[in-house]
Amino acid sequence: MTISNAKKKSPSRSADQAQKSALRETLAGAPKPALASPVVTAATATGLWDFAAYPVDVLQRSILFWDVLRQRADDMFEHERAGLPPLLDFKYEMLLDARRFEAPVNYALLRITEVGEYCAADCVDPAKPPVIVVDPRAGHGPGIGGFKRESEVGMALREGHPVYFVMFFPQPVAGQTLAHVLHALRHFVEAVALRHPGQPPVLYGNCQAGWAVTLLSADCQGLVGPAVLNGSPLSYWAGESGVNPMRVTGGLLGGAWLAHLTADLGNGRFDGAWLAQNFENLKPEKAIWEKYAHLFANVDTERDRFLEFERWWNGFYFLSREEILAIVENLFIGNKLEQGEMPICAHCSADLRRIKNPLVIFASYGDNITPPQQALGWIPAVYRDTEDLKQADQRIVYLLNPHVGHLGIFVSAAVARLEHRAILESLEDIEALPPGLYEMKIDNPSGEAECHKPSYQVRFEPRQVEDLKTDTSHEAFERVREVSEFNESLYRTFVSPWVQSFANPWSAEMLKWLHPMRSSRYVFSESFNPWMRGVALLAGWVSEHRRPLAEDAPLRAQERAFFEATGTALEGQRELRDAAFEHSFSMLYGAAAAGDRSD
């Protein structure tokens, strides 16, 4: 036998010997070696389990998700039946009810009395001035400044300030005007000042309440202390092209006549739900997708937080026809506040140069409602340069957050614990500054929001008024104002009387409940949709037997990727819409300019 033949025959002999050896071992009871077949490892078993458990997890989360929407609708009806009271997380007493004033308005002054089980008086430092928090009438009810412990109200109490809160009622007094409101607010300030002699109150204005606080400061010289403006627009034409489309929508809609029509259809009342809808339309990818996708993905932990915020968000208040027209014509369209042309009374206009108390302006680059340009752009419009500001003996300090959104300025616990606390702790330092413009910088090496001085340091860096100037085209917006005044005069003369003759309380109430911001919510209520009772029963059973799928499961990761991709696609569509708005505005009125801050 040759070597080559031996190599050819050796495999068959080896196979025979292996079979005989296996047979002997089997007969002898020895363990049989594993066959070469697919092996189910621990990783494979886990993957198969996740694949089978994911549909169950989605079904359970779906039931819990719909139950949260049911609870939101029920909370909305409950809040409505209770009369839409302010959603403050603090006990209070009503000191003044402006509905009983000579010129009545739907405002009231509250004093915060208790924090949980503790009396607020026990926290007060007699040496510290009172703080008056004024919430905005921007469609929602009062409470954003204090609807949880870590808020503006909560931080002021922690720092030892007596705290007062200006609330408003859901329905305006028939025919109330902005002048009536400002007179009532002045009365509130005077009442607080009498309770704390020698300590001018600190005014805290949120969003649209900021311009009201600014007007109060101009009207109450020597009566008020520093005023803090949080996310408050005062320069309505300013902004960045492609980033802040709200400033051009008034021109695309033809001006103030549409707000007038809406108020006429509401029987003399303007429904705040329209303002809330405009807010959601600014970034629909967040309002109609990301908010609900986040809730669905984290329904086990996000239920309470979601319901807490939505209870405030879905409590819509009304403005009078006179108020909304004055706001739209003089602020949103006319931008008359920074120009010193905003009428208050018959022979009185607002003049921001009359403000002598220090101003603290808190804005954010992540705020698409009140970008820094709108919060700060009025300063170079009122003061020619830095020297002019100093000659006016004024101190203006601004603080910029790099990323927080509009609502985060008021409701973010981290912002309340750091920025708002730093503002309150620095009031004496701000009043002691020489006249001029300053940027407030917070150095926080620890990175923790829950800290006090000296864990963080505050410094005030001098700035130049000239650096705040923007290249916004006033000519384009002046044309918008002219078109708005023309359309409004036509509507007021020829259309409004007919609409008012047909409008009545019944038709106004019908339009109120048919508004998409309400109907899209209450459709999930048990009182409106009996099928939701079954969802509530299922949700109770699911909660008891729930076994959530691990967050790092592969299918959960793919789910998050899908949610993110969908949000990105919606964001792209919104950016195209905004670009179309800007282009249409430029074609109609001329370029609005970029509005970026010039360096």
Side-chain angles (χ1 to χ4, degrees), residues 449-497:
E450 185 62 52
C451 58
H452 293 265
K453 290 181 178 179
S455 297
Y456 68 89
Q457 297 293 326
V458 172
R459 49 193 170 88
F460 302 96
E461 298 182 354
R463 294 289 183 261
Q464 299 297 312
V465 170
E466 296 84 341
D467 293 337
L468 298 180
K469 293 182 179 180
T470 63
D471 58 351
T472 300
S473 172
H474 284 203
E475 290 77 11
F477 290 102
E478 287 289 355
R479 297 187 191 100
V480 172
R481 178 159 62 180
E482 294 172 359
V483 170
S484 175
E485 291 173 353
F486 177 75
N487 290 341
E488 168 60 16
S489 64
L490 288 180
Y491 175 81
R492 186 187 299 272
T493 304
F494 298 107
V495 182
S496 180

Side-chain angles (χ1 to χ4, degrees), residues 236-527:
Y236 289 83
W237 290 351
E240 185 176 350
S241 180
V243 179
N244 309 119
M246 179 178 282
R247 64 190 184 129
V248 305
T249 54
L252 297 178
L253 295 174
W257 74 272
L258 190 57
H260 195 167
L261 170 63
T262 306
D264 286 344
L265 293 172
N267 199 34
R269 306 175 309 164
F270 182 87
D271 192 350
W274 291 108
L275 299 177
Q277 187 177 58
N278 288 341
F279 184 96
E280 291 195 346
N281 286 341
L282 279 177
K283 286 193 174 182
E285 70 273 14
K286 295 186 179 297
I288 68 174
W289 178 254
E290 292 180 11
K291 178 172 72 172
Y292 295 105
H294 181 75
L295 173 64
F296 177 79
N298 304 277
V299 71
D300 297 294
T301 58
E302 287 294 302
R303 176 187 176 95
D304 292 341
R305 185 205 61 81
F306 179 87
L307 291 175
E308 179 186 39
F309 177 79
E310 289 291 302
R311 187 174 177 84
W312 171 79
W313 182 255
N314 295 307
F316 307 116
Y317 280 47
F318 288 80
L319 291 90
S320 71
R321 176 168 43 220
E322 292 79 4
E323 287 178 299
I324 191 63
L325 280 177
I327 291 172
V328 173
E329 290 178 341
N330 296 317
L331 297 177
F332 296 156
I333 299 293
N335 193 38
K336 295 181 179 180
L337 183 59
E338 71 174 18
Q339 301 172 21
E341 300 174 357
M342 182 173 177
I344 304 300
C345 302
H347 304 287
C348 176
S349 298
D351 183 3
L352 300 186
R353 291 187 67 93
R354 295 176 57 191
I355 301 175
K356 299 302 178 182
N357 55 311
L359 297 180
V360 180
I361 302 171
F362 182 19
S364 172
Y365 289 111
D367 186 352
N368 67 325
I369 300 293
T370 306
Q373 295 94 331
Q374 292 189 5
L376 301 172
W378 65 275
I379 299 175
V382 174
Y383 302 100
R384 294 187 304 274
D385 50 33
T386 307
E387 186 60 30
D388 188 24
L389 176 64
K390 293 179 179 179
Q391 291 296 323
D393 196 30
Q394 177 56 293
R395 300 154 186 82
I396 300 178
V397 175
Y398 65 88
L399 171 64
L400 297 175
N401 185 289
H403 56 76
V404 71
H406 183 70
L407 291 176
I409 293 176
F410 322 118
V411 304
S412 170
V415 170
R417 291 194 299 264
L418 184 60
E419 280 93 339
H420 287 298
R421 173 179 279 148
I423 290 172
L424 292 167
E425 289 185 344
S426 304
L427 290 176
E428 291 185 2
D429 297 334
I430 292 172
E431 291 187 273
L433 288 171
L437 177 68
Y438 302 88
E439 181 175 1
M440 179 177 174
K441 295 283 190 176
I442 303 175
D443 297 324
N444 183 19
S446 68
E448 297 292 333
E450 185 62 52
C451 58
H452 293 265
K453 290 181 178 179
S455 297
Y456 68 89
Q457 297 293 326
V458 172
R459 49 193 170 88
F460 302 96
E461 298 182 354
R463 294 289 183 261
Q464 299 297 312
V465 170
E466 296 84 341
D467 293 337
L468 298 180
K469 293 182 179 180
T470 63
D471 58 351
T472 300
S473 172
H474 284 203
E475 290 77 11
F477 290 102
E478 287 289 355
R479 297 187 191 100
V480 172
R481 178 159 62 180
E482 294 172 359
V483 170
S484 175
E485 291 173 353
F486 177 75
N487 290 341
E488 168 60 16
S489 64
L490 288 180
Y491 175 81
R492 186 187 299 272
T493 304
F494 298 107
V495 182
S496 180
W498 290 97
V499 177
Q500 293 185 39
S501 66
F502 285 103
N504 57 69
W506 288 354
S507 63
E509 194 69 11
M510 178 188 68
L511 291 175
K512 167 187 170 181
W513 287 107
L514 287 178
H515 194 285
M517 289 295 291
R518 292 188 180 86
S519 59
S520 62
R521 270 70 169 173
Y522 68 65
V523 71
F524 297 106
S525 173
E526 286 186 46
S527 57

Side-chain angles (χ1 to χ4, degrees), residues 82-94:
L84 296 173
L87 295 176
L88 291 171
D89 195 25
F90 307 87
K91 293 183 181 179
Y92 55 85
E93 65 172 341
M94 185 180 297

